[in-house]
Every structure is written in structure tokens, then in C-alpha cells.
Amino acid sequence: MMTRTVLLELKSIDRRYDEGSRKLTILDAADFVLHHGEMVALVAPSGAGKSTLLHTAGLLEWPDAGDVILNGRACGRLSDDERTAIRRNDIGFVYQFHHLLPEFTALENVMMPQLVRGLKPAQARERAMQLLDYMKIGARAEHRPAELSGGEQQRVAIARAVANGPLLLLADEPTGNLDPATASYVFDALEALVRQSGLSALIATHNHELAARMDRRVTLAEGKVVELP
């Protein structure tokens, strides 16, 4: 059996927030490893710290202690600009709400992160169409988000998240706003994209059926990341 190499490592992560006169501990010396090409489900109740873990892993929040190591690079002491560059190039984010730009078409939304990175419009357009076709939504490329169904909006959001060819995909309840049939269809597309591209993915979900289809399941207990059977 081939040994997978580590893409993401969270080492002894602490994350605390001020709540009035006391400190609220969300993550307490939390450790986690995600391997190249692996899909891991993060299953935990609301308020347990799923979003905090994802935001810390995605370099959107600074840990109070510990370090985030991505593809062998320690990120704890990087500048804001360096962390922004890593997020732009190496990390894709998908949220429960699609956060598509309403004034732009599906195609333009998927082109946007590529243009920000510096690709020429023709290159960005070609890749965006390839991704939309892969997500089986190419026929809706010229529609704005308000003209798309919930499932279509999420598939565009997924295409946008991987437009720059990231190493890591972080998803926070990506099917949480969808009915069960649509959620399953969107997850099918997401899973196929991850498997085909060799992405690594950490996906927070309440859906135990979807979680069971991933390589591993973890939860959060008393601020620690704990493996589930």
C-alpha cells in the first residue's frame, strides 16, 4: 500500500476568544494531519469549533499557540502578505452559502480568482469553462447567481474554489443549505473533482451519509481533534 505524504499539519493549536471577563477555549493543543489526496470529514455539533479549525487551517485566523504547516512550510510566522499569497494560490474555500458575486455571471465568478492571480483573460475563461463543464453546469455559464438553483450555485462555488489549482480544499458545510437529493448530487461532483485532481480536502459536515464516503472522519472534543471509527 502506497504511503501518503503529509500536506497539512496542525501542531498543538490553541485558539481562545474573549467572552466578557473570561477566555473561551475553542481549540486546546489540537493536532491534526491531512495527507496528499485525502478527503477527511469533520463531524461535530454546532459550536464545537469546526469553523475555527477550518479558518486556522486556511490561514484566515492566527492560532494563539502552535503552528500550521502546509506542504512542509511553517506558516505561523509568515507575514500577512505571505499568508494571503498562500491562500490565493494553494487553498480553496467553499462555504455553506455560495458567496458568489451577484453582478457577475457564473463564468466570470470562476474567472475572478484566476485574474487576481495574474492569468490572462483568455486563459482564465478557458479554464473556467472546463471546470463548469466538469461540474455539469457549463450550459449555465452566462447566468448570474440569482438565476441559478441552490445546487447550481454551489457547483459554481466549488469550481471557483479550485480555479487556481490549489493543493488544499477546505469546505464548511458545503451542502448544508441543500435538500438531501441536491446535497448528494453536489457532493458527487465535489468528490469526483477532488479524486480526479488529487486535491486534499477537509470538509465539515453534519451529513453522516456524506461523511461515511470520505477516507476518514474526525470530530472535536474538549478542544482536541479526535479520530472517529
Side-chain angles (χ1 to χ4, degrees), residues 154-224:
Q154 276 303 77
R155 280 183 279 156
V156 175
I158 292 165
R160 180 185 59 182
V162 301
N164 279 338
L167 300 171
L168 172 64
L169 182 67
L170 299 172
D172 195 353
E173 297 288 349
T175 62
N177 280 336
L178 306 176
D179 64 82
T182 304
S184 181
Y185 185 82
V186 169
F187 186 80
D188 286 345
L190 173 60
E191 183 179 22
L193 184 63
V194 170
R195 301 297 190 194
Q196 287 290 325
S197 64
L199 264 170
S200 303
L202 177 60
I203 301 174
T205 181
H206 282 108
N207 189 320
H208 289 273
E209 282 188 25
L210 299 184
R213 292 167 55 178
M214 299 188 223
D215 299 315
R216 285 191 292 133
R217 297 182 307 142
V218 299
T219 190
L220 286 163
E222 298 181 353
K224 312 282 191 196

Side-chain angles (χ1 to χ4, degrees), residues 81 83-91 113 116-117 164 166:
D81 286 347
R83 288 163 67 92
T84 298
I86 291 172
R87 287 197 302 271
R88 182 190 306 129
N89 299 329
D90 295 333
I91 304 174
V116 170
R117 188 175 182 177
N164 279 338

Side-chain angles (χ1 to χ4, degrees), residues 77-132:
R77 298 190 180 187
L78 298 180
S79 68
D80 284 337
D81 286 347
E82 289 172 316
R83 288 163 67 92
T84 298
I86 291 172
R87 287 197 302 271
R88 182 190 306 129
N89 299 329
D90 295 333
I91 304 174
F93 297 91
V94 182
Y95 298 98
Q96 184 169 345
F97 185 72
H98 57 78
H99 294 298
L100 297 173
L101 299 171
E103 66 272 30
F104 294 106
T105 65
L107 179 64
E108 290 166 339
N109 267 279
V110 181
M111 289 174 63
M112 198 66 63
Q114 301 177 76
L115 297 174
V116 170
R117 188 175 182 177
L119 260 69
K120 293 179 180 179
Q123 293 174 301
R125 176 179 290 271
E126 181 179 4
R127 175 160 172 78
M129 272 308 307
Q130 288 173 346
L131 286 167
L132 291 173

